[in-house]
Amino acid sequence: MSQYDYDLFTIGGGSGGVRASRFASQYGARVAIAESKDLGGTCVNVGCIPKKLMSYSAHFHEDFADAAGFGWTVGETRFDWAALIAAKDKEIARLNGIYRKILDGAKVDIVEGYATMEDAHTVSVNGKRYTAAHILVATGGHPTVPEIPGKELGIVSDDFFHLTALPKRSVVLGGGYIAVELASILNGLGSEVTLVYRGKHLLRGMDSELGVFLAEEMRKKGMTILFENNIEAIKSAGAGKRVQLSDGKTIDADCVLFATGRHANTAGLGLEKAGVTLTDKGAVKVDEHFVSGVPSIHAIGDVIDRVALTPVALAEGMVVAARLFNKGGREMSYENIPTAVFSHPNVGTVGLSEEDARKRVGEVLIFKSEFKALKHTLSGNTERTFMKLVVDAKSDRVLGVHMVGADAGEIVQGFAVALQCGATKAQFDATIGIHPTSAEEFVTMRTPAA
């Protein structure tokens, strides 16, 4: 491979691209990575990290209220949006620097600029050409803006993290991860929020009971949720916006946030010029080894539109690096991928939904529990917790673990290991719970739902 400048040239300095580049270099490859913006990609800059930091902030108003039930007197409180954004930006800048140190430490060359492909082995950045035996596309995705009149008056998730002030009235369009998370943040920080969704329940693709239960809890926290509805148009109305809904009603808002999905960042990369085939949705089409139709060009992460989660992109990146430069040794499985939604309350899930389990194995046993967490017996908070197990009736194997409640992601992560190991309901039952915790409910449910 000495005929090329590099053994691997990665386009995109997000989580997946950085991980693949670092591992490839550690395996002995000569690696360069190109990034036109800040290192860390969507997750670090306008996704997972700032979202969760702001979610923490949005929880405090409930914590202050809950404290009274435990004997605390909390004085007058005041929220400062500008202070939160400044603190968030400082942390993101620190993480950008860490990503740079990681690449420098791994001896990966960082090329700053927008990269395009000229052919199967050539990349151009800022007018300079680089050749590589292998090219890895890890350019991620971007928020989708719906085609409606007045769409220019709305914002997307990327814009949300840079708002100069907290909007007094917000309309959020969508019912997935991003919609419920950002709506929860806005609501928790004091904005009057209306969530508009064309579907019948939130979190399509997950176990349907999670979305139904979450909506009930979000409404209890003061949010308005309008199902089977959509935004038809947005118009300026003084200093704000007037939102026309498909049911004929209008809502006045200061902020309209679109959370209606994401699309792969493939435009302008020169992929077609290099011979790469795209899917109907514009994502890079790859095989099980993340190889495109051109053997030297690979792709991972959101740009291949499989599972748009940062840990998945990281795993895919390690698979590619190992396959190309370390004689394989890693495989990628999309079974039992755990995930959390940092809505208020949180959602955690791993494995099959009840609907998918019935399609796959036929007969299933369902175990469910709904309760008020111990904390709220004194706090006076009306929030409730929901937990559910999906079990194969024939093999007794646990196929799905689902939860809505405080720290759901933290709890479900541990149970994801159990599912990965093929744990049975009998093994769950034989496990001694930690008392008193919400998590113990997963190992104490004994009676199947009717």
Side-chain angles (χ1 to χ4, degrees):
M1 289 186 276
S2 59
Q3 69 189 91
Y4 301 107
D5 297 326
Y6 294 99
D7 301 319
L8 176 70
F9 194 104
T10 300
I11 303 175
S15 300
V18 169
R19 179 65 62 91
S21 299
R22 178 165 67 92
F23 270 67
S25 184
Q26 290 173 346
Y27 293 145
R30 296 168 301 145
V31 184
I33 186 169
E35 176 55 59
S36 61
K37 298 180 180 178
D38 293 321
L39 292 171
T42 295
C43 180
V44 168
N45 296 289
V46 287
C48 324
I49 301 300
K51 167 198 69 183
K52 194 167 184 186
L53 290 174
M54 295 177 75
S55 178
Y56 284 135
S57 178
H59 266 293
F60 278 106
H61 84 287
E62 283 193 336
D63 293 339
F64 297 143
D66 291 346
F70 293 88
W72 287 90
T73 299
V74 179
E76 182 181 356
T77 61
R78 183 178 66 86
F79 171 67
D80 187 333
W81 174 270
L84 170 62
I85 298 303
K88 180 266 296 182
D89 288 345
K90 183 178 179 180
E91 174 59 13
I92 299 310
R94 186 186 73 86
L95 293 176
N96 294 150
I98 287 176
Y99 269 71
R100 184 171 292 274
K101 288 180 181 179
I102 287 172
L103 291 169
D104 287 341
K107 294 181 171 57
V108 174
D109 290 343
I110 301 173
V111 182
E112 297 182 0
Y114 191 89
T116 58
M117 279 186 282
E118 295 190 5
D119 58 43
H121 294 281
T122 309
V123 176
S124 176
V125 186
N126 299 328
K128 184 175 179 179
R129 299 169 78 249
Y130 301 86
T131 61
H134 300 281
I135 297 171
L136 175 62
V137 181
T139 49
H142 62 275
T144 301
V145 177
E147 291 297 328
I148 58 176
K151 64 182 181 180
E152 68 279 0
L153 297 174
I155 67 170
V156 294
S157 56
D158 288 7
D159 308 311
F160 170 81
F161 298 105
H162 301 290
L163 286 172
T164 57
L166 174 69
K168 292 182 179 179
R169 303 162 299 172
S170 304
V171 174
V172 178
L173 179 64
Y177 278 81
I178 298 172
V180 299
E181 290 176 334
L182 300 191
S184 292
I185 290 171
L186 287 165
N187 180 66
L189 294 177
S191 183
E192 181 183 316
V193 179
T194 299
L195 182 67
V196 180
Y197 183 46
R198 64 183 181 182
K200 294 182 178 181
H201 61 78
L202 301 175
L203 303 177
R204 181 173 61 88
M206 294 186 183
D207 191 282
S208 61
E209 288 194 273
L210 296 178
V212 172
F213 191 88
L214 176 63
E216 293 174 355
E217 293 301 310
M218 290 173 72
R219 281 173 169 149
K220 282 160 57 175
K221 296 178 187 298
M223 196 181 306
T224 299
I225 303 178
L226 305 177
F227 288 114
E228 297 183 88
N229 217 323
N230 212 336
I231 294 179
E232 294 289 323
I234 308 170
K235 296 180 180 179
S236 294
K241 288 96 177 171
R242 181 151 295 159
V243 180
Q244 178 68 50
L245 301 179
S246 57
D247 65 2
K249 297 179 181 178
T250 60
I251 304 174
D252 288 338
D254 303 295
C255 174
V256 181
L257 171 62
F258 302 131
T260 51
R262 296 175 64 84
H263 279 73
N265 285 331
T266 53
L269 291 179
L271 291 166
E272 297 90 336
K273 182 179 179 181
V276 175
T277 302
L278 303 181
T279 68
D280 293 340
K281 293 183 178 181
V284 178
K285 191 173 184 179
V286 295
D287 64 15
E288 67 275 17
H289 301 299
F290 307 103
V291 182
S292 73
V294 180
S296 61
I297 300 176
H298 317 260
I300 60 169
D302 292 7
V303 78
I304 65 174
D305 194 30
R306 285 186 179 173
V307 179
L309 294 171
T310 295
V312 172
L314 295 175
E316 292 169 345
M318 289 189 288
V319 169
V320 170
R323 177 177 175 271
L324 293 179
F325 306 110
N326 198 39
K327 301 178 182 179
R330 288 183 178 272
E331 296 181 359
M332 184 67 206
S333 171
Y334 295 95
E335 292 288 317
N336 295 325
I337 295 174
T339 190
V341 183
F342 296 103
S343 50
H344 298 181
N346 292 177
V347 176
T349 179
V350 61
L352 298 178
S353 65
E354 178 180 345
E355 297 86 348
D356 288 341
R358 291 188 185 281
K359 292 177 183 177
R360 183 175 296 190
V361 303
E363 186 180 358
V364 297
L365 296 175
I366 303 299
F367 297 83
K368 294 190 285 188
S369 180
E370 180 187 330
F371 56 93
K372 178 186 286 188
L374 178 62
K375 174 184 177 181
H376 296 316
T377 60
L378 294 188
S379 74
N381 193 316
T382 60
E383 181 177 292
R384 295 182 68 79
T385 297
F386 173 76
M387 304 174 84
K388 179 175 182 178
L389 293 177
V390 180
V391 180
D392 184 343
K394 294 180 180 178
S395 69
D396 196 45
R397 182 173 177 176
V398 179
L399 302 177
V401 177
H402 312 290
M403 177 179 175
V404 181
D407 299 317
E410 304 289 349
I411 292 170
V412 168
Q413 176 68 83
F415 285 99
V417 178
L419 261 67
Q420 193 70 6
C421 295
T424 63
K425 181 63 168 65
Q427 290 170 324
F428 270 52
D429 294 345
T431 301
I432 295 175
I434 301 173
H435 185 72
T437 66
S438 294
E440 69 177 315
E441 197 74 12
F442 276 130
V443 298
T444 59
M445 291 187 277
R446 296 289 187 269
T447 305

